[in-house]
Amino acid sequence: MGILSFLDRSLLPRTAAAFLGIAFMLVAVASPAAARCLGSADPVVVRQEIEIGRDPVAAVDSIAKEISRTDPSNKARLAERYLVQSIALSMSGSSPAEAAEKARRAASGFAPGHPVNLMLRLGEFDGREDVAAKARLLSSVERDVRSLPAGSATKTCRGVDLAFYNTLVDNPRKAFAFGSQAYRNSAGDGKSPYRAAAASMLAYLVSIGHDFEYAQQLHSEALEAHLDLGMADLAANDLVLRGYTFLSDSQPHEALEDFAASAEQARSYGNQDAVDYALLGVC
């Protein structure tokens, strides 16, 4: 199935088919979920998340070195660094399973509502057998996410996760609620990877309601933050997403410019797969 088929489905009314079409496109082409974040208060982890957004393959090695220097008795710090390593592995096309399991072991003594365990619990989503089981998992996590400190990066990042996963269980109302809450929660973050992740997710959600102008504004906000932080990998992703929003809004010239710019960003750090994804839009 070609990319235009995905787009055609994304323009349907706000129905299960529309949201599942969007979710499939997230995996198949480019995705606000590609910018999954941890939301740590640890400046080392924040720096690592920015490095992942620049070049996830290179970040894998630098994070491994940082883990080797981490005090093994500091379980919270160790768990967070394994989690950020799992993000880097996933974004570089490798399995995050081993890193996630090491994070789980490090966090085994923490409460279920601990920020590390919230992310690990959401990581169980794909392993649940049916939609009802997945929905129950999300509901259990939602209660703990709501109790996180307002304005915290962790609350923003888990809100982005819940927005994404709720599209996969055909719950558009919750998806939009968590997406908009994450965006509001990040209002004080400025040009941060967390604000950018929330903007990108909300842009994708509002585009389903055909508010393309607002979606383009949000994608542009995410793009500006990623460019300012030197996060070329995620900037390439932003440009593809905004390009398809332009295409959906009957602005092919602007779309082509974004696809070409995305390919250039991807070439800047040698990601041929991302170049190919961008050039699909040109076709």
Side-chain angles (χ1 to χ4, degrees):
M1 184 179 293
I3 185 59
L4 291 180
S5 298
F6 297 136
L7 268 180
D8 291 341
R9 293 178 68 189
S10 75
L11 296 179
L12 295 173
R14 192 174 289 182
T15 62
F19 268 86
L20 289 176
I22 286 291
F24 190 28
M25 184 175 167
L26 295 180
V27 177
V29 183
S31 169
R36 192 179 192 201
C37 53
L38 177 57
S40 173
D42 182 343
V44 172
V45 173
V46 175
R47 187 189 74 236
Q48 290 169 341
E49 292 202 78
I50 292 172
E51 289 175 1
I52 291 169
R54 289 175 180 159
D55 184 345
V57 174
V60 170
D61 290 337
S62 67
I63 294 169
K65 291 175 183 176
E66 193 63 50
I67 289 171
S68 71
R69 294 192 289 264
T70 301
D71 180 357
S73 68
N74 191 332
K75 299 298 185 183
R77 179 170 292 176
L78 192 63
E80 284 194 339
R81 291 180 184 180
Y82 277 125
L83 273 180
V84 80
Q85 184 183 54
S86 75
I87 295 172
L89 288 164
S90 180
M91 287 182 61
S92 63
S94 300
S95 172
E98 183 178 353
E101 181 55 33
K102 288 178 179 178
R104 191 181 308 280
R105 289 200 295 268
S108 60
F110 302 161
H114 188 282
V116 168
N117 279 329
L118 288 177
M119 189 167 182
L120 288 167
R121 285 161 64 192
L122 284 168
E124 299 170 6
F125 180 89
D126 290 337
R128 296 299 171 100
E129 293 183 358
D130 53 39
V131 171
K134 293 176 191 291
R136 287 193 297 271
L137 170 65
L138 296 182
S139 293
S140 72
V141 173
E142 287 165 12
R143 292 189 292 270
D144 290 324
V145 170
R146 290 192 179 97
S147 69
L148 291 170
S152 67
T154 302
K155 190 165 192 171
T156 295
C157 292
R158 298 294 73 76
V160 170
D161 284 346
L162 286 169
F164 173 67
Y165 285 123
N166 271 291
T167 66
L168 301 184
V169 296
D170 191 22
N171 198 329
R173 186 180 297 274
K174 277 191 174 181
F176 185 78
F178 279 106
S180 57
Q181 287 167 15
Y183 185 70
R184 289 196 300 272
N185 187 70
S186 65
D189 287 344
K191 292 180 182 179
S192 74
Y194 314 123
R195 176 67 168 184
S200 184
M201 176 57 72
L202 185 58
Y204 217 94
L205 294 171
V206 300
S207 68
I208 295 174
H210 292 200
D211 190 349
F212 298 123
E213 183 176 354
Y214 187 36
Q216 290 153 14
Q217 176 185 325
L218 290 165
H219 282 312
S220 297
E221 180 181 357
L223 174 63
E224 183 178 356
H226 288 144
L227 288 173
D228 280 1
L229 293 166
M231 300 169 76
D233 184 72
L234 290 180
N237 189 71
D238 295 328
L239 286 159
V240 169
L241 289 166
R242 192 177 69 177
Y244 279 111
T245 305
F246 278 130
L247 198 58
S248 301
D249 196 27
S250 301
Q251 299 183 64
H253 178 73
E254 289 81 356
L256 289 171
E257 288 184 340
D258 271 0
F259 296 143
S262 176
E264 285 304 306
Q265 285 290 325
R267 287 190 188 99
S268 73
Y269 62 101
N271 188 336
Q272 187 57 44
D273 286 341
V275 172
D276 294 341
Y277 281 142
L279 295 181
L280 274 174
V282 177
C283 298

